[in-house]
Amino acid sequence: MKTETTVHGLAASLQTARSTKKLIGFVPTMGNLHEGHLSLVREAKKICDVVVVSIFVNPTQFGPNEDFENYPRSWEQDSQLLVDVGCDIIFAPPVEQIYTTQPVITRIQVTEITEILCGLSRPGHFDGVALIVTKLFNIVQPHYAFFGQKDFQQVAVVKQLVQDLNLSVEIIASATIRAEDGLALSSRNGYLNDQERAIAPTIYQSLRQAEQALHTGTILTEVLEGIRISLLEAGFSVDYVEAFTPHLKPVQSTDTEVVLFVAAKLGTTRLIDNLHVKLMTA
Amino acid sequence: MKTETTVHGLAASLQTARSTKKLIGFVPTMGNLHEGHLSLVREAKKICDVVVVSIFVNPTQFGPNEDFENYPRSWEQDSQLLVDVGCDIIFAPPVEQIYTTQPVITRIQVTEITEILCGLSRPGHFDGVALIVTKLFNIVQPHYAFFGQKDFQQVAVVKQLVQDLNLSVEIIASATIRAEDGLALSSRNGYLNDQERAIAPTIYQSLRQAEQALHTGTILTEVLEGIRISLLEAGFSVDYVEAFTPHLKPVQSTDTEVVLFVAAKLGTTRLIDNLHVKLMTA
């Protein structure tokens, strides 16, 4: 496994692969890798010849009061995990390799689908995501890029970006990887103390109960309220509990699938999760 | 010469060139070609193996009260000119090939350098330019792309975009091509009636006089005022007469080069021009 820290170095490392038409797979990460990331690398290994994993804590996707400075960095451990899982190249650039001019004067905004959910709670977040993803895609020029469905809205933004900017990469979204108790894996889980960690699975449990309720005919608004109450009772402060279609449109009475979305805080730690539910049709 | 009207068709046409590592040159145009465009194609022919010219009147770079509907289309003539000049592929897509979803929900904004000059007079124009240029670059994937310095601010926006989005294309900017009387060639010159066409060269004449005045020590503000007066006396309505550094920063007393910019209307026809002036240093 090679590690590259510069754009030119990465290009050089990929040159042979590119000229011999190897399929290049790309897993963008902010490091602090967990089984969710590793499952994406395994997925990439299945269909690609060369797998690049980027580790880059992207400043532009953090708000001014968010956890950029404290976001967990764990280079030694990440590096070992990536060797073990068969990653070919780690791309771990310093900030100034990616943002050569400060301040960054180009913005990319995917509108509409970012004006809900985390787009409302984290102003500018998806602009930062759109910019870094576009940059990294142009730097790595992969055939496939892999994202986790835990960040459902992010996947939607990235797919929209690929379509709207004619980026020549195919986006593969993989199922959320969960702890045994159902908690969606996330680097931010590391912020939780023992007590919070014990409460955290309530998010997924309440989503699954909601699915059951929808299947037994409870109306959507009542189901969402049920999730909210479960979370509040467990000690969360709730950011949002909402439902949209899989294309992030408002749910209509004729829809046969919905995605339930939750963002909630335990102490200062913000957790998100979602569940894609097929509705029973009459 | 081939003509392609779909993204897939173009990709297929370029496949051999790409896999045999031919250098691909790209000249994006809105058609209604003149010698300025053709000079870019000739430039491209010099350093590239395959030259693609796009003809696409991009709706997103026109304001609601601008001339999108009336923008001159001249397919037969353009096509013949491109054969003559040795263009290899014309890419002439219909709007729905480029904008597959309506409305377009992704925006690209190059800030700062678009907050002056034509960016002020034509709100949203450079967002439209940034989006279409990014899309076309991703569709054509050229090694080199060619632009005319007549659209100085556009060239700056495109270069910024390439840097900020890590697009792998090199931008070549060529000198403005002018009529014998100095008028910068532009598709919009076709809107001028005979009387207006006779007055139009005043723009370039006043820029050259301004250069002389700067060389003989006249201060910049006075020189700009001189241009404005010449234009008003000739019958223009003046949009702007300004100077910036070649990097589109405000001019400082220590600068040794400035670019003089003019936008002015004759009737409903808006003309722009610019002149890069090296200042005499003491």
Side-chain angles (χ1 to χ4, degrees):
Chain A
M1 188 180 72
K2 276 190 192 174
T3 298
E4 298 293 349
T5 57
T6 66
V7 171
H8 284 296
L10 180 69
S13 259
L14 284 170
Q15 195 169 17
T16 311
R18 245 189 266 287
S19 66
T20 54
K21 314 240 181 221
K22 296 267 194 268
L23 284 177
I24 298 171
F26 177 45
V27 183
T29 83
M30 300 208 298
N32 198 251
L33 302 179
H34 52 64
E35 190 54 30
H37 301 107
L38 301 179
S39 74
L40 297 179
V41 179
R42 284 191 206 99
E43 197 79 24
K45 294 282 293 178
K46 277 188 214 159
I47 59 174
C48 299
D49 304 305
V50 176
V51 175
V52 179
V53 176
S54 65
I55 295 185
F56 180 66
V57 185
N58 173 40
T60 67
Q61 74 191 68
F62 288 81
N65 299 314
E66 292 186 358
D67 55 347
F68 173 67
E69 294 298 338
N70 301 321
Y71 195 86
R73 275 92 167 164
S74 52
W75 170 254
E76 294 295 331
Q77 186 185 310
D78 290 351
S79 176
Q80 189 54 54
L81 287 169
L82 289 174
V83 168
D84 295 346
V85 80
C87 162
D88 299 289
I89 302 173
I90 302 183
F91 179 50
V95 170
E96 57 276 16
Q97 267 291 310
I98 299 298
Y99 297 109
T100 52
T101 52
Q102 292 289 355
V104 177
I105 70 167
T106 298
R107 270 190 222 139
I108 303 184
Q109 269 189 309
V110 177
T111 61
E112 295 189 11
I113 58 172
T114 62
E115 288 152 16
I116 54 172
L117 301 172
C118 287
L120 289 180
S121 339
R122 305 183 64 188
H125 168 66
F126 286 117
D127 296 356
V129 168
L131 183 62
I132 189 61
V133 166
T134 302
K135 285 169 76 72
L136 288 173
F137 283 178
N138 287 333
I139 291 168
V140 179
Q141 297 175 36
H143 298 88
Y144 296 92
F146 299 81
F147 292 83
Q149 283 288 22
K150 196 208 90 188
D151 301 311
F152 191 101
Q153 194 176 10
Q154 173 173 274
V155 171
V157 168
V158 171
K159 283 184 174 173
Q160 189 72 41
L161 206 56
V162 166
Q163 178 187 293
D164 287 355
L165 303 188
N166 298 83
L167 295 163
S168 54
V169 54
E170 190 170 324
I171 304 304
I172 313 269
S174 296
T176 302
I177 303 293
R178 302 180 178 282
E180 275 189 24
D181 57 14
L183 178 64
L185 296 194
S186 162
S187 300
R188 291 193 172 92
N189 293 351
Y191 297 147
L192 301 171
N193 64 31
D194 288 350
Q195 196 195 340
E196 290 165 342
R197 178 64 189 79
I199 296 166
T202 308
I203 296 178
Y204 186 58
Q205 288 156 14
S206 67
L207 285 169
R208 292 304 296 268
Q209 282 160 12
E211 179 181 46
Q212 286 301 316
L214 286 168
H215 284 173
T216 54
T218 314
I219 61 166
L220 186 56
T221 50
E222 205 170 300
V223 163
L224 295 175
E225 193 51 25
I227 298 174
R228 181 181 293 272
I229 290 166
S230 301
L231 293 173
L232 291 173
E233 284 177 356
F236 285 88
S237 84
V238 174
D239 180 355
Y240 58 72
V241 175
E242 292 189 68
F244 286 92
T245 72
H247 290 99
L248 294 180
K249 303 281 184 204
V251 177
Q252 311 283 321
S253 59
T254 50
D255 284 315
T256 56
E257 307 176 46
V258 298
V259 185
L260 306 175
F261 294 92
V262 168
K265 275 188 173 182
L266 279 176
T268 56
T269 305
R270 186 173 179 278
L271 301 174
I272 63 172
D273 204 349
N274 65 81
L275 190 67
H276 190 149
V277 177
K278 302 212 166 166
L279 302 179
M280 302 302 187
T281 47
Chain B
M1 188 180 71
K2 277 191 191 173
T3 298
E4 299 293 350
T5 58
T6 66
V7 171
H8 283 297
L10 180 70
S13 260
L14 283 171
Q15 196 169 15
T16 311
R18 245 190 267 288
S19 66
T20 54
K21 314 240 182 222
K22 297 267 193 266
L23 285 176
I24 298 171
F26 177 45
V27 183
T29 83
M30 299 208 300
N32 197 251
L33 303 179
H34 52 64
E35 191 53 32
H37 301 107
L38 302 179
S39 75
L40 296 179
V41 179
R42 285 190 205 100
E43 197 80 23
K45 295 281 293 177
K46 278 188 215 161
I47 59 174
C48 298
D49 304 305
V50 176
V51 175
V52 179
V53 175
S54 64
I55 295 184
F56 181 66
V57 185
N58 173 42
T60 68
Q61 74 192 67
F62 287 81
N65 298 314
E66 291 186 0
D67 55 347
F68 173 67
E69 293 298 338
N70 301 321
Y71 195 86
R73 274 94 167 164
S74 52
W75 170 254
E76 293 295 330
Q77 186 185 309
D78 290 351
S79 176
Q80 188 54 54
L81 287 169
L82 289 175
V83 168
D84 295 345
V85 79
C87 163
D88 298 290
I89 301 174
I90 302 183
F91 179 51
V95 170
E96 57 276 16
Q97 267 292 309
I98 299 298
Y99 298 108
T100 52
T101 51
Q102 293 287 355
V104 177
I105 70 167
T106 298
R107 271 190 222 140
I108 303 184
Q109 269 191 309
V110 177
T111 61
E112 295 189 13
I113 59 172
T114 62
E115 289 152 16
I116 54 171
L117 302 172
C118 287
L120 289 181
S121 339
R122 305 183 65 188
H125 168 65
F126 286 117
D127 295 357
V129 168
L131 183 62
I132 189 61
V133 165
T134 302
K135 285 170 76 72
L136 288 173
F137 283 177
N138 286 333
I139 290 167
V140 180
Q141 296 177 35
H143 299 87
Y144 296 92
F146 299 81
F147 292 83
Q149 283 287 21
K150 196 209 89 188
D151 301 310
F152 191 100
Q153 194 176 10
Q154 173 173 276
V155 171
V157 167
V158 171
K159 284 183 173 174
Q160 189 73 41
L161 205 56
V162 166
Q163 178 188 293
D164 287 355
L165 303 188
N166 298 84
L167 295 163
S168 55
V169 52
E170 191 170 322
I171 304 304
I172 313 270
S174 296
T176 302
I177 303 294
R178 301 179 179 281
E180 274 190 24
D181 57 14
L183 177 64
L185 296 194
S186 163
S187 300
R188 291 193 171 91
N189 293 350
Y191 296 146
L192 302 171
N193 63 31
D194 288 350
Q195 196 196 340
E196 290 166 341
R197 178 62 188 81
I199 296 166
T202 308
I203 296 178
Y204 186 58
Q205 287 156 14
S206 67
L207 285 169
R208 293 303 297 267
Q209 281 160 10
E211 178 181 47
Q212 286 301 316
L214 286 168
H215 285 173
T216 55
T218 313
I219 61 165
L220 185 57
T221 49
E222 205 170 301
V223 164
L224 295 174
E225 192 51 25
I227 298 173
R228 180 180 293 272
I229 290 166
S230 301
L231 293 172
L232 291 172
E233 284 177 355
F236 286 88
S237 85
V238 175
D239 181 355
Y240 58 72
V241 176
E242 292 190 68
F244 287 92
T245 72
H247 290 99
L248 295 180
K249 303 281 184 204
V251 177
Q252 310 282 322
S253 59
T254 51
D255 284 316
T256 56
E257 306 176 46
V258 299
V259 185
L260 306 175
F261 294 92
V262 169
K265 275 188 176 180
L266 279 175
T268 55
T269 305
R270 186 172 180 278
L271 302 174
I272 63 172
D273 203 349
N274 66 81
L275 190 67
H276 189 148
V277 177
K278 303 213 165 164
L279 301 178
M280 301 302 186
T281 49

